[in-house]
Amino acid sequence: MKIGVLAAQGAFAEHIAALLKLGVEVVPVRLPEELKGLDGLIIPGGESTSIAKLMTDYNLTAELRDLVKSGLPVFGTCAGMILLAKKVENSFPEPLGVMDITVRRNAFGRQRESFEADLSIPALGKKPFHAVFIRAPVIEHVNNGVETLARLDDGRVVAVREGKLLASAFHPELTDDLRFHRYFLDIIAGQK
Ligand code: GLN
């Protein structure tokens, strides 16, 4: 299995390390031709406006949008989730707009800019998932066909799946728990 990790800006090295631990072939993606022949793609966290700008500069945006429409599985974490959303509440230039969710950037304000929480994620099994949030977005609306995978204690949605698209407001690549990445690989293989 060959998985690309968008390597424009942000926490791509940690995603590459997690995928290598799971024994798949990994391709850092910066150019449109590097998208060819991938079984899936991860869009990492970072600064969503910078990632979006670099994607446009590298001519990746339109190409990637087409690939997603034709079924490429994509996992977006944090800024990556913002890029996948159809609607971003607070100012954003141009998301890919492929996932039927509405997100709000920097949803936790200054006092809780970064925090960690143990989340119940039934899709990953019984053991709680330790989630790291860094200036995280939140999912404000989940539209038809989108499955909620995880919520905070206050009910706010922080992880979703829509077909072969997966998104989390937190950073599963910053812990040693590989279950979220494995879940993405299972989705690609048609086992979930
Ligand atoms: N605050 C960032 C943004 O809006 C996302 C933060 C992250 O990816 N850790 O793009």
Side-chain angles (χ1 to χ4, degrees):
M1 195 183 278
K2 195 163 138 187
I3 310 295
V5 178
L6 188 74
Q9 189 264 344
F12 53 87
E14 292 84 350
H15 276 294
I16 292 173
L19 290 168
L20 290 174
K21 279 188 205 157
L22 290 169
V24 293
E25 192 185 334
V26 187
V27 184
V29 173
R30 291 189 182 87
L31 303 169
E33 48 268 34
E34 289 161 340
L35 287 168
K36 286 203 187 96
L38 296 179
D39 296 301
L41 178 77
I42 291 182
I43 306 180
E47 193 52 47
S48 52
T49 45
S50 308
I51 298 176
K53 186 178 177 310
L54 289 165
M55 282 177 67
T56 306
D57 291 352
Y58 297 164
N59 295 319
L60 282 167
T61 310
E63 178 86 14
L64 185 52
R65 206 176 270 142
D66 287 349
L67 284 169
V68 172
K69 280 190 188 133
S70 56
L72 179 74
V74 182
F75 179 16
T77 59
C78 203
M81 177 179 93
I82 297 168
L83 284 155
L84 288 177
K86 281 205 175 146
K87 196 162 170 219
V88 182
E89 283 293 7
N90 36 350
S91 74
F92 192 83
E94 195 203 3
L96 289 165
V98 291
M99 239 183 145
D100 212 357
I101 52 174
T102 302
V103 305
R104 178 174 294 279
R105 294 180 62 201
N106 302 326
F108 296 94
R110 284 181 172 243
Q111 285 183 336
R112 285 193 87 204
E113 261 193 356
S114 299
F115 62 98
E116 302 186 9
D118 287 317
L119 304 177
S120 157
I121 309 185
L124 303 184
K126 281 210 175 106
K127 194 175 138 220
F129 192 90
H130 190 71
V132 180
F133 292 82
I134 303 168
R135 297 187 65 226
V138 78
I139 300 157
E140 296 212 320
H141 298 291
V142 173
N143 295 314
N144 280 348
V146 181
E147 183 189 348
T148 295
L149 298 177
R151 293 176 186 272
L152 291 170
D153 283 347
D154 65 10
R156 285 192 281 181
V157 178
V158 289
V160 288
R161 172 184 176 178
E162 183 180 11
K164 288 184 184 284
L165 302 177
L166 196 57
S168 69
F170 49 89
H171 288 265
E173 78 286 7
L174 297 184
T175 64
D176 290 332
D177 193 336
L178 296 171
R179 285 180 295 161
F180 224 109
H181 290 83
R182 193 175 294 123
Y183 181 62
F184 181 52
L185 301 183
D186 287 346
I187 289 174
I188 296 171
Q191 288 165 0
K192 290 276 180 192

